[in-house]
């Protein structure tokens, strides 16, 4: 990948942040601000949010992209924070290149494969996205209760409106490419016991995109993992309860040996 949108701030050990579908690096703004006095925070937008949205890619491609971001930053070893599809990618990277990671944070994500029923449901929603037209309002409306928890839907109209404006400005095909990168993901539950990297699992208690039970399954299988349940938050946990996420992340990072 040639084009990256990267926000790189702060001194100290490096922490890389990878976001979820329909989102971008700005979803981590509160966390990078909270950590940048003692960690080098590197948040980047994946190819779906760049001019390379139409390239064909899968989770292995996203692993390579993450490692390229690290290489361009001159970073050999880092803590990886992955949310949703960023978490799918992070699990793959942890299994393939464990030596690169000093820690792993899996945020509102899962190790399960999608079921046949889930694939059929997603296909119905995403198939019309094979277009260069802007993302339609109907698609955005469908994803509001998936991306945002009920408290945000009821009370955070500013947050929702800001993201919907971003979605409507994107070409539909960028979402089609994102969807294709993860819909056929492999089940990794049986391999999670191989992860010996210090791991924190963070999940919004009101996540309608990925149920918190998926996080509990990961927690049960990753040896020694820590689990932070975030109250009052849906899938976009970093912005729906930013202080709780920042606190959990800082506590995890501060307890790690310096890398």
């Amino acid at each position: 990948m040639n084009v990256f949108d990267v926000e790189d701030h702060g001194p100290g050990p490096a922490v890389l942040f990878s976001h979820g579908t329909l989102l971008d690096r700005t979803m981590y703004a509160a966390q990078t601000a909270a950590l940048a006095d003692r960690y080098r925070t590197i948040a980047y937008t994946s190819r779906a949010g760049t001019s390379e949205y139409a390239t064909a890619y899968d989770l292995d491609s996203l692993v390579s992209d993450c490692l390229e971001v690290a290489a361009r930053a001159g970073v050999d070893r880092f803590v990886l924070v992955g949310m949703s599809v960023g978490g799918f990618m992070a699990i793959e990277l942890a299994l393939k290149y464990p030596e690169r990671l000093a820690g792993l944070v899996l945020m509102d994500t899962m190790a399960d494969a999608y079921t046949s029923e889930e694939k059929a449901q997603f296909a119905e929603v995403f198939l019309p996205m094979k277009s260069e037209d802007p993302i339609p309002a109907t698609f955005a409306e469908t994803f509001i209760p998936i991306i945002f928890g009920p408290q945000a839907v009821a009370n955070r109209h500013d947050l929702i409106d800001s993201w919907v404006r971003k979605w409507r400005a994107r070409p539909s095909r960028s979402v089609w490419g994102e969807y294709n990168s993860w819909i056929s993901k492999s089940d990794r539950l049986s391999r999670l016991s191989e992860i010996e990297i210090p791991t924190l699992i963070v999940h919004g208690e009101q996540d309608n995109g990925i149920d918190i039970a998926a996080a509990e399954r990961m927690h049960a299988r990753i040896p020694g993992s820590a689990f932070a349940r975030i109250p009052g938050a849906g899938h976009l946990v970093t912005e729906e309860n930013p202080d709780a996420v920042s606190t959990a992340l800082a506590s995890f990072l501060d307890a790690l040996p310096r890398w």
Side-chain angles (χ1 to χ4, degrees), residues 1-8 14-18 25 40-47 50 61-76 78 80 89 93 100:
M1 182 178 173
N2 295 318
V3 178
F4 287 103
D5 171 25
V6 180
E7 191 80 13
D8 185 343
V15 184
L16 268 65
F17 295 82
S18 179
R25 61 170 174 76
R40 184 180 177 188
T41 61
I42 304 171
Y44 69 97
T45 297
S46 68
R47 63 177 71 190
T50 74
S61 308
L62 296 181
V63 168
S64 297
D65 289 350
C66 181
L67 294 177
E68 188 173 348
V69 168
R72 292 189 187 189
V75 170
D76 180 56
F78 53 93
L80 177 57
M89 179 279 294
L93 196 153
R100 300 298 303 274

Side-chain angles (χ1 to χ4, degrees), residues 37 39 48 50 56 128 152 220 244 253:
D37 63 332
Y39 294 101
T50 74
L253 294 173

Side-chain angles (χ1 to χ4, degrees), residues 239-254:
E239 294 198 81
E240 294 183 49
N241 194 340
D243 290 346
V245 174
S246 296
T247 297
L249 190 52
S251 296
F252 173 72
L253 294 173
D254 291 347

Side-chain angles (χ1 to χ4, degrees), residues 141-254:
E141 288 295 323
T142 296
F143 272 84
I144 286 173
I146 296 173
I147 299 294
F148 305 98
Q151 290 190 30
V153 171
N155 303 311
R156 298 290 306 280
H157 303 293
D158 56 335
L159 175 64
I160 293 172
D161 289 347
S162 68
W163 279 106
V164 169
R165 284 194 297 272
K166 286 187 179 185
W167 298 347
R168 297 297 312 283
R170 285 176 55 172
S172 296
R173 195 174 296 277
S174 69
V175 182
W176 171 253
E178 275 190 306
Y179 154 76
N180 279 287
S181 74
W182 50 255
I183 191 60
S184 297
K185 67 186 290 293
S186 300
D187 189 299
R188 293 300 190 214
L189 277 174
S190 63
R191 294 195 59 192
L192 292 184
S193 60
E194 299 174 30
I195 296 177
E196 298 178 348
I197 304 155
T199 301
L200 170 65
I201 296 165
V202 177
H203 212 95
E205 291 185 340
Q206 299 177 343
D207 188 345
N208 291 320
I210 297 176
D211 192 88
I212 197 168
E216 292 168 342
R217 287 192 289 274
M218 293 193 299
H219 178 46
R221 289 166 174 79
I222 298 177
S225 60
F227 189 19
R229 302 170 65 98
I230 307 300
H235 196 56
L236 189 49
V237 65
T238 58
E239 294 198 81
E240 294 183 49
N241 194 340
D243 290 346
V245 174
S246 296
T247 297
L249 190 52
S251 296
F252 173 72
L253 294 173
D254 291 347

Side-chain angles (χ1 to χ4, degrees), residues 110-122:
M110 67 182 190
D112 312 71
Y114 285 101
T115 66
S116 298
E117 181 180 3
E118 289 169 331
K119 289 178 180 179
Q121 292 171 341
F122 276 123

